[in-house]
Amino acid sequence: MSRSMSAAGAAVVLAGLITAAAPASAAPAAHSAAAPTGTPTAASAAACVPDVVKLPSLPSGPWTSGVVNGLGADGLAVGESLGLPAYWTADHAVHAVPLPAGFQNGRVTAVNAKGLMVGTVERSSDRARAAFTYRPGDTAMRLLTGAATATDAADVNDAGRVVGMDGGTPKEWANGTVVRELPVPEDAHPSTRIVAVDGINKRGDVLGTAHTEYEDLENDRIISKTFPVVWPAGGAYPPYSLPVWNETDWTTGTQASGIDDKGRVVGFEAESYREFRRRTPAVWKKPYDAPPAAPGLVTGYETLTFEAISPATNVTVGTAASFVEGYARYVQAAYWPGTGAPLVLPNPAGASADVNTEAHAVSDDDRVGGSFRDLTVLADNPIVWTCASKQAYAPTK
């Protein structure tokens, strides 16, 4: 299962990574040929061919646009194209997911190894959304919820368990039926609410993000804390509140983004104040009783977000960026093998010197999915890096 960060609710709390571009200029980091020392162990990865594939958009005039949010078996990629839910097969052909009546927009957020997709559709009139499941080739999607705000489907595991938000309530579904609502951790402040569900692993452990905010009268201050939560599979054990570096500053919060089959959690701490932006990658390990580890930043970039982790190979991907006047101006897809310094992934062949790339999904067969934008010609494409471990490199200053 692969997924992208889909924390629409958490975006209200955390100032998101802005990718709007300022006028073109040269990027701050040059390419080098250095390769990572850690690589995936899957047999399929050893046989892959390194490539950077720009995938097509759905047909709609001269424009191209899209993003890969998840990667499935047999070359399947899922995501969004021109604001519509879409998927790409191994031959790189793009396919639209049919929208139900009354909805005009949407995206696929994840897919499992059996081809079951999950995503969210939206009405243009009131921005109400509904969560859905879909299988390649079906004539219609299956809606899991009614239309409401604060609704999305975040992830699906290989057992077909779907997790997401339903009208602001975190839930887990099986075979289209709600099997549990995900509670706030018992040790959390009474003001705490779940603002996003972010992932589910093979075992069935669910990852989310919580926010609490209240007035500390004794110290005359506002306490504001955003932190990851893990609900163990099945609901027999209480959820964990994961420790974070900062527990009080309203300008800072910690976003969860992925959980692997061993329970490793990745995410990032975000600090946003006026034009200042800081993003620090974070990694937690079971039993979640210590603050996260900080793998460091990519050489030449000011910030790094971790946005997805592979199910079994401990590879994490995300986006490295440097900000100019509050905007992410220099943006490049990042790749971390699980040890050492984070690396970056190359641009497609023939791209200009002014390019933004982002990574949102990673699979055990050494593929990475995300988005590409050539700022010189304003061309946007969903993108897949194949044999990514053999392409990742350490930029020079």
Side-chain angles (χ1 to χ4, degrees), residues 262-279:
K262 292 185 177 180
R264 283 180 292 241
V265 171
V266 298
F268 59 94
E269 183 183 77
E271 182 179 3
S272 302
Y273 182 69
R274 295 182 179 176
E275 294 182 352
F276 177 76
R277 300 287 186 272
R278 178 182 59 80
R279 307 288 184 263

Side-chain angles (χ1 to χ4, degrees), residues 14 46 52 161 177 245 262 280 283 314 335 383:
L14 294 177
V52 186
R161 294 294 182 110
T177 300
W245 294 309
K262 292 185 177 180
T280 304
V283 180
N314 198 26
Y335 179 100
I383 194 170

Side-chain angles (χ1 to χ4, degrees), residues 30-328:
H31 291 193
S32 78
T37 56
T39 56
T41 57
S44 58
C48 67
V49 177
D51 198 3
V52 186
V53 181
K54 291 193 296 182
L55 297 171
S57 294
L58 292 170
S60 180
W63 302 107
T64 62
S65 177
V67 59
V68 172
N69 291 327
L71 298 165
D74 301 321
L76 184 66
V78 303
E80 176 183 340
S81 177
L82 299 172
L84 300 171
Y87 63 97
W88 296 264
T89 43
D91 59 359
H92 304 157
V94 60
H95 306 266
V97 175
L99 290 172
F103 293 91
Q104 293 77 39
N105 305 292
R107 67 184 185 273
V108 183
T109 52
V111 61
N112 69 10
K114 300 177 182 178
L116 179 64
M117 305 176 198
V118 297
T120 307
V121 289
E122 183 178 88
R123 289 194 307 228
S124 299
S125 59
D126 58 1
R127 302 293 185 184
R129 300 187 297 271
F132 70 84
T133 60
Y134 180 78
R135 292 186 182 277
D138 284 356
T139 57
M141 63 175 59
R142 179 181 187 180
L143 294 181
L144 298 176
T145 69
T149 57
T151 295
D152 63 50
D155 204 1
V156 57
N157 69 5
D158 290 346
R161 294 294 182 110
V162 177
V163 292
M165 301 287 285
D166 182 5
T169 300
K171 294 181 179 180
E172 179 180 346
W173 293 263
N175 298 318
T177 300
V178 176
V179 293
R180 63 168 170 163
E181 294 186 4
L182 303 169
V184 171
E186 294 180 357
D187 61 352
H189 187 270
S191 69
T192 302
R193 60 190 177 93
I194 306 302
V195 294
V197 177
D198 305 286
I200 183 171
N201 64 11
K202 181 178 181 179
R203 169 185 165 89
D205 303 319
V206 180
L207 174 67
T209 301
H211 177 70
T212 185
E213 188 167 317
Y214 59 94
E215 187 175 2
D216 179 0
L217 296 176
E218 182 177 347
N219 296 295
D220 191 25
R221 61 178 179 173
I222 298 296
I223 300 297
S224 179
K225 177 183 176 183
T226 306
F227 58 96
V229 175
V230 171
W231 294 270
Y237 298 95
Y240 297 91
S241 298
L242 274 58
V244 295
W245 294 309
N246 191 302
E247 298 191 351
T248 59
D249 186 357
W250 65 271
T251 68
T252 303
T254 303
Q255 169 69 54
S257 55
I259 183 168
D260 75 0
D261 291 344
K262 292 185 177 180
R264 283 180 292 241
V265 171
V266 298
F268 59 94
E269 183 183 77
E271 182 179 3
S272 302
Y273 182 69
R274 295 182 179 176
E275 294 182 352
F276 177 76
R277 300 287 186 272
R278 178 182 59 80
R279 307 288 184 263
T280 304
V283 180
W284 294 259
K285 294 182 180 180
K286 296 176 73 174
Y288 312 126
D289 57 356
L297 303 177
V298 173
T299 300
Y301 291 86
E302 299 171 351
T303 70
L304 175 61
T305 59
F306 277 171
E307 300 178 32
I309 185 170
S310 61
T313 58
N314 198 26
V315 173
T316 300
V317 298
T319 303
S322 291
F323 286 79
V324 176
E325 297 181 350
Y327 289 88

